[in-house]
């Protein structure tokens, strides 16, 4: 990778300048934090899922948006895709090691939020 305004070296470490508009890491962060990217990563935390199972687990997502989201996450190396040559083809998705590393804090964040909301709801009950 060429050193430029979006990529700097500081000693032995390298880092991307994510606030620069041309930073390649910025696009990946966009895929992860997109409306549906977060839910895909959380859904795949525990099991590999076929396309229709993933669609069913994420309420409100259209097939088109799921396909687009998965395409970006696969290109980023966060999700793997396996196609089995059956009729119709069976497509299964799962998290790569990198995807698990990125998705784990998202699932933890979701867990913290839902725990807090559950506690607040319990406090409101008479």
């Amino acid at each position: 990778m060429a050193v430029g305004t979006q990529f700097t070296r500081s000693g032995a470490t390298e880092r991307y300048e994510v606030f620069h508009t041309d930073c390649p890491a910025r696009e990946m962060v966009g895929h992860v934090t997109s409306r549906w990217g977060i839910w895909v990563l959380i859904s795949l935390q525990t099991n590999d899922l076929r396309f229709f199972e993933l669609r069913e687990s994420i309420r409100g997502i259209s097939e088109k948006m799921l396909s687009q989201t998965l395409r970006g996450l696969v290109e980023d190396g966060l999700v793997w895709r396996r196609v089995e040559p059956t009729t119709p083809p069976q497509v299964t998705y799962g998290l790569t090691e990198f995807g698990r590393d990125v998705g784990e804090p998202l699932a933890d964040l979701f867990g913290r939020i839902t725990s807090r909301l559950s506690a607040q709801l319990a406090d409101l009950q008479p």
Side-chain angles (χ1 to χ4, degrees):
M1 159 122 342
V3 177
T5 56
Q6 72 272 9
F7 187 75
T8 59
R9 294 180 193 272
S10 57
T13 61
E14 300 173 345
R15 74 183 198 106
Y16 287 94
E17 297 294 334
V18 295
F19 294 105
H20 190 282
T21 57
D22 294 334
C23 179
R26 190 172 182 160
E27 185 175 350
M28 185 180 294
V29 169
H31 290 154
V32 170
T33 61
S34 70
R35 178 175 181 188
W36 301 111
I38 291 172
W39 301 117
V40 168
L41 292 173
I42 290 172
S43 294
L44 291 173
Q45 276 295 309
T46 54
N47 293 317
D48 303 339
L49 297 172
R50 291 181 47 201
F51 183 87
F52 79 91
E53 294 171 323
L54 196 50
R55 188 187 69 227
E56 292 296 317
S57 73
I58 305 172
R59 303 274 165 88
I61 192 168
S62 67
E63 286 189 25
K64 178 182 176 182
M65 286 310 304
L66 180 56
S67 293
Q68 288 177 355
T69 302
L70 286 166
R71 190 175 308 116
L73 294 172
V74 167
E75 288 173 5
D76 291 339
L78 296 163
V79 172
W80 54 260
R81 178 181 189 267
R82 181 179 62 231
V83 179
E84 300 199 23
T86 59
T87 305
Q90 293 182 6
V91 183
T92 305
Y93 295 89
L95 295 178
T96 63
E97 183 179 340
F98 182 39
R100 283 189 297 277
D101 288 345
V102 171
E104 189 175 310
L106 296 174
D108 182 52
L109 175 65
F110 180 72
R112 290 173 187 244
I113 290 170
T114 56
S115 293
R116 175 63 63 120
L117 290 174
S118 295
Q120 287 176 344
L121 184 60
D123 289 344
L124 295 175
Q125 299 297 320

